[in-house]
Amino acid sequence: MSRMIKLSTWAEEEFGNPIPVSATLSKYARNGMIFPPPVKVGNIWRVERSARFIGAQSSPEIRQSDNVRLKRILEDGQTT
């Protein structure tokens, strides 16, 4: 049994029916919404059987002009 499976096969196991269309699955793969990240082999996305959908992961943008207290909260979660 291979370690990597097609993205569409993985999606059936992860989401059940109905699965997202192939364009959406490709977007998930390209944008790091699956962990461990899928690998494109030729023109087919492959993913590990144990991979999970984690959705969009983002971090706040911290600017130099931000208030010192806001920077502290955004960087380490401390309120005081």
Side-chain angles (χ1 to χ4, degrees), residues 39-69:
V39 176
K40 194 162 191 180
V41 180
N43 64 348
I44 298 172
W45 284 101
R46 300 247 177 211
V47 65
E48 291 186 21
R49 290 183 179 276
S50 61
R52 291 290 169 243
F53 177 73
I54 57 173
Q57 303 293 312
S58 64
S59 57
E61 181 180 328
I62 302 172
R63 299 184 188 116
Q64 290 289 33
S65 61
D66 287 342
N67 184 294
V68 175
R69 285 178 269 176

Side-chain angles (χ1 to χ4, degrees), residues 4-53:
M4 303 286 274
I5 58 175
K6 285 184 177 181
L7 191 59
S8 58
T9 304
W10 170 83
E12 289 174 6
E13 297 172 10
E14 181 74 9
F15 298 112
N17 282 327
I19 65 169
V21 296
S22 62
T24 302
L25 291 174
S26 295
K27 182 179 104 173
Y28 291 167
R30 279 192 315 273
N31 294 326
M33 296 182 181
I34 301 169
F35 186 81
V39 176
K40 194 162 191 180
V41 180
N43 64 348
I44 298 172
W45 284 101
R46 300 247 177 211
V47 65
E48 291 186 21
R49 290 183 179 276
S50 61
R52 291 290 169 243
F53 177 73

